[in-house]
Amino acid sequence: MTETSPKLGLPYIQPAQAQKHVTHNEAIRELDTLVQLRIAEFGTETAPGTPALGETHALGPVPGGAWAGQGGKLATWDGEVWQFLTPREGWLAWDIAASRLRSHAGGNWVYPDLNGDQLARLGIATAASDTNRLAVASEAVLFTHVGGDHRLKLNKAAAGDTASLLFQSDWTGHAEMGLADDTAFSLKVSADGDSWTQVMRADPGALRVDVPITGVAVQSSATDITAGRLMRADYGYGPGNILGAVSQSADVPTGAIIERGVNANGDFVRFADGTQICTHAITLNYVNSELLSATWIYPVSFLAGATPRICGALNASTFSAAPGLSEVGGVAFGSIAVASTSVQLRRISGLTNFASGNTAEIRVTAIGRWF
């Protein structure tokens, strides 16, 4: 049997020991000191002149006088002499002067983490760490007001740092909101916790919110007309792209809605549905006594295999032929093709003939398709 207890080092009464009360009283005295341990002063080097019965000091490293050679020990006045105990790791003691609890750790009396209004870390139902100095394991966390407003503040050191809320599933991040590497508020999402996509950004400088809308919320193609979906700028039309060059791919418009142009062969208008209209004022020249004629090459060609429909009318104010207006027949068209046509004006047979140098202006319109 050992002579002292393992934790407090209290003396045991030994078998066949004489004066057992001495050992018993020694253990009681040490228990009286250690149970509800109260320290009058820490780091004391000199014993007080008139100590109170049971007064205990945590000695400094090099005390003198009655405490010489007892550095680091506990000294308790028993009414006659100082009794000394060596503190062990983890012992707790109440600091009477500071009204605070201390613990013995690493050979020193230190304040534990629970230090008034400033904690090194705090774990509630889970372990805190140097990174997560406040850790809470709970089904819910409540932050409530004290009579009015309540504001949760996340502060970062510099603009390039991050102050955000990270939402995880099984410790893998999938959404983050806050000031991420910037002073603009952003919302990011991730499928795997490694690759992140910014889906919203609110810029405090530009006072603008950017939301790149993708997926089923918007058109999937130029022909997607699913109800409720948003129109993409490259698939829709507005003031910036209604007028311009029309184009198509597989009979689906890919350019502007209306295109207008003009050249030496006339004016033309193309529409996104494939309709094309060409107009011109063409001068017919003398061919023979019965005919004035000219070839009209359209300002743009029509779709191959789709001959346009053409009409025309005589501009009477330009008519310089010898026959009177009542002596000419209608405007006729011959050899109508997708790139050109023959425009003709004939006189009524048996009346005054056309003469060399006679001309007439015909205003013509051709309507067909460009695709």
Side-chain angles (χ1 to χ4, degrees):
M1 179 177 176
T2 60
E3 295 185 357
T4 57
S5 63
K7 290 186 177 181
L8 297 180
L10 302 178
Y12 285 136
I13 297 174
Q14 299 300 309
Q17 176 184 331
Q19 295 185 319
K20 295 180 175 58
H21 67 282
V22 175
T23 299
H24 175 71
N25 290 341
E26 176 66 13
I28 293 297
R29 181 189 61 76
E30 292 187 14
L31 284 174
D32 187 66
T33 297
L34 297 177
V35 176
Q36 304 293 347
L37 179 60
R38 300 167 70 249
I39 305 298
E41 190 175 0
F42 286 85
T44 316
E45 299 285 354
T46 303
T50 54
L53 182 62
E55 182 176 324
T56 301
H57 292 258
L59 306 186
V62 189
W67 293 344
Q70 303 295 330
K73 294 185 178 181
L74 296 174
T76 302
W77 180 251
D78 68 0
E80 296 182 0
V81 297
W82 291 99
Q83 302 288 341
F84 299 100
L85 291 173
T86 301
R88 299 191 180 187
E89 188 78 9
W91 283 11
L92 299 177
W94 182 253
D95 185 339
I96 297 175
S99 295
R100 296 171 67 177
L101 187 68
R102 294 201 190 199
S103 64
H104 195 261
N108 297 301
W109 289 97
V110 297
Y111 293 114
D113 288 344
L114 188 60
N115 185 12
D117 61 355
Q118 183 175 344
L119 307 180
R121 65 177 64 172
L122 177 62
I124 301 177
T126 189
S129 66
D130 288 340
T131 299
N132 300 306
R133 295 188 180 183
L134 173 61
V136 180
S138 173
E139 292 184 357
V141 176
L142 172 65
F143 296 90
T144 188
H145 65 90
V146 179
D149 297 339
H150 183 88
R151 179 176 293 171
L152 179 63
K153 299 179 181 179
L154 300 178
N155 182 57
K156 60 180 183 176
D161 297 329
T162 293
S164 67
L165 295 178
L166 178 63
F167 298 88
Q168 298 178 320
S169 178
D170 194 24
W171 306 110
T172 297
H174 292 292
E176 183 178 19
M177 59 187 294
L179 309 182
D181 306 321
D182 201 347
T183 56
F185 182 86
S186 66
L187 173 61
K188 298 180 179 181
V189 294
S190 173
D192 56 11
D194 294 323
S195 179
W196 291 83
T197 300
Q198 183 174 271
V199 295
M200 187 193 76
R201 185 176 188 273
D203 191 331
L207 298 179
R208 183 182 67 195
V209 177
D210 296 322
V211 181
I213 303 176
T214 59
V216 297
V218 298
Q219 287 177 290
S220 61
S221 67
T223 58
D224 182 5
I225 56 173
T226 304
R229 290 187 176 178
L230 297 176
M231 179 183 294
R232 282 177 42 169
D234 52 341
Y235 294 155
Y237 291 98
N241 63 354
I242 289 179
L243 303 178
V246 295
S247 58
Q248 58 83 30
S249 176
D251 294 339
V252 176
T254 58
I257 293 179
I258 303 172
E259 177 182 353
R260 185 184 183 281
V262 60
N263 56 39
N265 296 322
D267 295 53
F268 70 90
V269 178
R270 282 181 168 177
F271 297 91
D273 70 344
T275 301
Q276 177 172 285
I277 303 173
C278 297
T279 61
H280 194 31
I282 186 169
T283 299
L284 307 186
N285 296 305
Y286 176 82
V287 176
N288 57 47
S289 62
E290 296 181 353
L291 178 64
L292 301 181
S293 181
T295 298
W296 178 29
I297 299 174
Y298 311 131
V300 288
S301 296
F302 288 89
L303 177 66
T307 303
R309 292 178 174 84
I310 304 176
C311 62
L314 172 64
N315 183 357
S317 65
T318 66
F319 186 57
S320 63
L325 291 175
S326 62
E327 297 176 335
V328 299
V331 177
F333 302 93
S335 303
I336 300 175
V338 296
S340 65
T341 186
S342 172
V343 184
Q344 303 173 351
L345 181 65
R346 294 182 178 272
R347 70 172 177 81
I348 298 176
S349 179
L351 299 180
T352 307
N353 294 333
F354 290 122
S356 178
N358 288 157
T359 61
E361 182 183 274
I362 304 298
R363 295 181 178 179
V364 288
T365 300
I367 302 176
R369 296 191 63 80
W370 62 272
F371 83 87

